[in-house]
């Protein structure tokens, strides 16, 4: 095959040595008819595709990408004019109404181009620009290349020579380097020679996250080639015919359809075949988009030629001023609700002569998503043998629509104390994940795991739904209409009318499943039925996910109706020692059954039952006792040594309540009667060792050697009661529930200032999390994380 860009040197030449699709597809397709008659197929030297998957977990085959780019490339409009060649099938191109010199036109379009770039930058989008060669349509670079989060850069075949000439190796090289994209480049441009065109994201409107490509077939969007592309890139294809007012094929899909993260703008009138229209709508609905239908007239004003991007302060809708103005108030309101900001840029001359608008002017630039380093991908994914080893892999769930089921009348059921602002809640959760990432941990989202499970095919997808909702229920559903997000968000017909409940507390990932030494993940049997589903969901994820299938999974506790146990009560002190809180949520039988399993199947030799009061504020052991370093814990002052201080504070609170004429009462007796004690169970020894005072016992057993306290060291307040009262307040907002990222480094809520000061005074590095909204759920950083892999500590293993 001819080498087109020889002047560019070895690298480029090598990558363009043959249509790359042949490498991936030649083998399986050999037996079939050539896809495109007249084009010979050959086998080029194979380069294995590396699919990172969205989670980056090894073996996750679904190629996942983010939908939103935070960077775009714009090419200047030097040489811009109405292109005779493209005018043939672009019915949106016009001519100048008044004569203008070349220079005048240049000035006008340059200002429009510059204006769009400035507005996008102002909205926090990174805009890269490139100079032009001087071709008429160069300002529309999205047609000749696309970039993808899995590291792909694709070059497309253009229908007419003046546009094929736009392909710029220097741009490709620059983008590839800056965005860490993979080689070889997937180069389809040679197809143009056979008269086959597929013009980038003009022809392919991509729902990257859901891996669906929408294509209006035209001379610029060849069906066969689109199929080849989809197969190679791992997309599902939705093809249809789109017509303009005159009944002529619309040249590019992105003129009549825009598909974004949460919404789509579509001109239904442009799809005359009702069946095809239905299929497009079904695909959009399946991926939960808000659909904004527009009229043909609005389409002609380029209302569909828009794109959602990610700016620094939130998502941005980039659209032309004409497109935006053509919409009516209600359409605009819906769109404004879907994004954080609208950028409506005036580009009338570019629209008029170019027949394209804002979306065509920006080519999205996606950085390659991080992948697990080769070595760690071969190691056991689940290996968590301490509470403090450097965090390597952690599973979290970013709260989503399930939060909307929390309202004043469901608070108790949902086990939270306040109603949430979902947007703030999500933002704060992102704050947590970015802290984890900056400290080098790989963060995996349950939502992505679910997507990867379901991408394995219909059978697996069905099994996933059946495992959580039951076979019978799923049998009565049209699986096509279900989305994995509903497994967490709940299945509702109407607001607050759920056929399947929302898993409101899933973002407290600690509880439904937990890791124990020896590479085991153990499924919990949560105390409240509302949380039991979470364990079922994680059970399904671990059984069905291609990477997690291999993880040793113990589900024996789930079937014992006498057991309750949650991950918040299970602390792995070291490879041989596990602490289990016997609490409101975990009963003694739960602790005993876990011990049985640990002794029988794992390296654990010692299980310590820690008995704590059964109170909401102390629902799990980790609400009042967490490791901040090897052998160092953060806990409540006087809790273990002088419970009578708590009794006294309770008595005083009761008195105050009484004086105020309120009926609120604390149980004073509880504090005096049951000082926290521990029982140490040793492998092979049926009689546990009992310690009347938990803390003394833990020290005697060599499990902890230092304790730090919520709000400060004991003895630093005017009285123990003053300390306990302040500590109870910070602890209510999860001051004691810190999450250790590595020995001596923890994540804590910023709000808990006195505790943070004390930790820092004692040499602990505290990463502060802004989490006022997260706190309403009654859980802290440890509750929200399910660590799967931590570096092993140097000693003891
Ligand atoms: N490990 C923890 N402490 N988890 C806190 C869970 C909070 C949650 N709202 C519940 O009541 O279940």
């Amino acid at each position: 095959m001819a080498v087109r860009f020889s002047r560019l040197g070895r690298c480029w030449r090598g990558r363009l040595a043959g249509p790359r699709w042949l490498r991936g597809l030649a083998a399986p397709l050999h037996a079939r008819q050539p896809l495109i008659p007249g084009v010979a197929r050959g086998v080029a030297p194979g380069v294995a595709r590396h699919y990172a998957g969205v989670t980056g977990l090894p073996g996750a085959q679904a190629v996942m990408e983010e939908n939103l780019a935070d960077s775009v490339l714009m090419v200047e409009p030097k040489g811009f004019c109405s292109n005779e060649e493209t005018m043939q099938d672009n019915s949106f191109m016009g001519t100048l109404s008044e004569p203008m010199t070349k220079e005048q036109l240049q000035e006008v379009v340059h200002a429009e181009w510059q204006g769009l770039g400035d507005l996008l930058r102002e909205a926090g989008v990174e805009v890269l620009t490139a100079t032009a060669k001087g071709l008429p349509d160069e300002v529309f670079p999205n047609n000749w290349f696309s970039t993808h989060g899995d590291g792909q850069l694709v070059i497309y075949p253009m229908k007419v020579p003046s546009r094929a000439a736009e392909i710029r190796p220097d741009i490709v090289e620059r983008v590839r380097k800056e965005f860490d994209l993979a080689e070889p480049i997937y180069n389809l441009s040679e197809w143009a020679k056979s008269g086959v065109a597929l013009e980038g994201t003009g022809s392919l409107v991509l729902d990257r996250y859901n891996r669906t490509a929408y294509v209006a077939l035209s001379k610029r969007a060849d069906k066969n080639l689109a199929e080849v592309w989809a197969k190679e890139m791992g997309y599902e294809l939705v093809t249809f015919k789109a017509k303009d007012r005159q009944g002529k094929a619309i040249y590019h899909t992105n003129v009549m359809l825009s598909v974004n993260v949460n919404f789509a703008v579509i001109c239904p009138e442009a799809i005359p075949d009702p069946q095809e229209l239905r299929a497009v709508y079904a695909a959009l609905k399946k991926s939960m988009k808000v659909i904004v239908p527009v009229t043909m007239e609005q389409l002609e004003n380029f209302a569909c030629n828009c794109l959602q991007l990610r700016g620094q302060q939130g998502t941005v809708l980039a659209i032309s001023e004409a497109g935006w103005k053509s919409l009516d108030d209600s359409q605009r309101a819906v769109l404004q609700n879907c994004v954080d900001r609208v950028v409506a840029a005036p580009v009338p001359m570019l629209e008029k002569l170019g027949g394209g608008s804002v979306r065509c002017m920006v080519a999205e630039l996606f950085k390659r998503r991080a992948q697990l380093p080769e070595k760690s991908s071969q190691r056991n994914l689940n290996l968590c043998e301490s509470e403090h080893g450097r965090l390597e892999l952690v599973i979290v769930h970013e709260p989503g629509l399930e939060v909307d089921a929390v309202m004043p009348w469901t608070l108790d059921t949902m086990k939270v104390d306040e109603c949430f602002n979902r947007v703030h809640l999500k933002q704060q959760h992102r704050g947590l994940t970015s802290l984890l990432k900056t400290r080098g941990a790989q963060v995996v989202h349950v939502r992505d795991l679910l997507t990867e499970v379901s991408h394995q095919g219909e059978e697996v997808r069905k099994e996933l739904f059946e495992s959580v909702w039951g076979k019978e229920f799923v049998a009565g559903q049209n699986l096509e209409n279900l989305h994995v997000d509903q497994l967490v968000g709940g299945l509702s017909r109407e607001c607050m009318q759920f056929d399947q409940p929302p898993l409101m507390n899933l973002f407290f990932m600690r509880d439904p499943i937990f890791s124990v030494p020896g590479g085991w993940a153990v499924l919990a049997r949560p105390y409240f039925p509302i949380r039991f589903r979470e364990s079922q969901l994680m059970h399904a994820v671990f059984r069905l996910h291609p990477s997690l299938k291999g993880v040793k999974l113990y589900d024996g506790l789930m079937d014992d109706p006498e057991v309750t146990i949650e991950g918040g009560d299970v602390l792995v002190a070291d490879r041989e020692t596990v602490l289990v809180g016997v609490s409101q949520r975990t009963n003694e039988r739960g602790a005993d059954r876990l011990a049985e399993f640990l002794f029988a199947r794992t390296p654990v030799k010692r299980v310590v039952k820690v008995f704590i009061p059964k109170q909401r504020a102390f629902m799990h052991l980790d609400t009042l006792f967490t490791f901040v370093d090897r052998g160092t814990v953060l806990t409540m002052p006087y809790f273990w040594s002088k419970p009578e201080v708590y009794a006294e504070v309770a008595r005083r609170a009761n008195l105050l309540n009484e004086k105020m004429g309120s009926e609120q009462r604390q149980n004073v007796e509880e504090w005096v009667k049951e000082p926290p004690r521990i029982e140490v169970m040793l492998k092979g020894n049926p009689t546990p060792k009992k310690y009347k005072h938990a803390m003394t016992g833990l020290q005697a057993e060599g499990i902890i050697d230092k304790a730090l306290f919520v709000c400060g060291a004991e003895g630093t307040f005017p009285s123990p009661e003053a300390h306990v009262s302040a500590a109870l307040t910070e602890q209510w907002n999860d001051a004691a529930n810190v999450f250790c990222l590595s020995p001596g480094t923890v994540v804590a809520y910023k709000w808990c200032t006195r505790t943070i000061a004390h930790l820092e005074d004692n040499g602990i590095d505290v990463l502060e999390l802004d989490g006022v909204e997260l706190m309403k759920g009654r859980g802290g950083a440890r509750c929200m994380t399910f660590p799967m892999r931590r570096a092993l500590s140097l000693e003891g293993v």
Side-chain angles (χ1 to χ4, degrees), residues 226-252:
E227 274 166 8
V228 169
W229 179 95
K231 188 140 196 201
E232 173 76 346
M233 299 294 286
Y235 273 75
E236 254 174 64
L237 210 56
V238 178
T239 59
F240 50 91
K241 287 168 286 306
K243 301 267 160 72
D244 63 14
R245 205 183 276 277
Q246 282 77 43
K248 283 201 351 215
I250 289 182
Y251 77 108
H252 275 163

Side-chain angles (χ1 to χ4, degrees), residues 180-193:
D180 186 30
L181 300 175
E183 285 191 90
I185 281 160
Y186 182 18
N187 182 18
L188 292 168
S189 66
E190 299 286 334
W191 286 107
K193 289 186 177 160

Side-chain angles (χ1 to χ4, degrees), residues 74-75 77 80 92-94 96 105 107-120 139-140 300-303 305-306 318-325 343-362:
M74 292 180 66
V75 179
F80 176 82
F92 304 94
M93 286 165 75
L96 282 174
L105 176 63
E107 210 173 298
V108 173
V109 292
H110 199 275
E112 290 181 358
W113 177 79
Q114 185 83 44
L116 171 62
D118 289 348
L119 284 173
L120 289 176
V139 70
F140 304 126
E300 287 162 351
N301 280 292
F302 296 104
N305 197 247
C306 58
I319 188 168
S320 76
E321 189 183 63
W324 185 244
K325 280 194 174 155
V343 160
V347 287
M349 191 62 84
L350 287 162
E351 286 179 328
K352 187 165 185 193
L353 300 192
S357 183
V358 165
R359 198 276 166 259
C360 305
M361 293 168 66
V362 294

Side-chain angles (χ1 to χ4, degrees), residues 107-184:
E107 210 173 298
V108 173
V109 292
H110 199 275
E112 290 181 358
W113 177 79
Q114 185 83 44
L116 171 62
D118 289 348
L119 284 173
L120 289 176
R121 281 195 193 98
E122 214 176 278
V125 177
E126 191 189 356
V127 180
L128 272 70
T129 55
T131 52
K133 290 197 216 166
L135 298 161
D137 282 317
E138 250 175 317
V139 70
F140 304 126
N142 81 108
N143 298 135
W144 65 262
F145 84 99
S146 65
T147 63
H148 301 266
D150 66 337
Q152 291 299 299
L153 193 154
V154 189
I155 302 181
Y156 295 91
M158 307 296 290
K159 185 171 157 276
V160 298
S162 66
R163 291 223 61 189
E166 288 172 26
I167 299 175
R168 286 264 297 280
D170 58 325
I171 292 183
V172 169
E173 206 44 32
R174 180 177 150 203
V175 166
R176 204 184 62 71
K177 283 222 176 86
E178 257 178 71
F179 288 78
D180 186 30
L181 300 175
E183 285 191 90

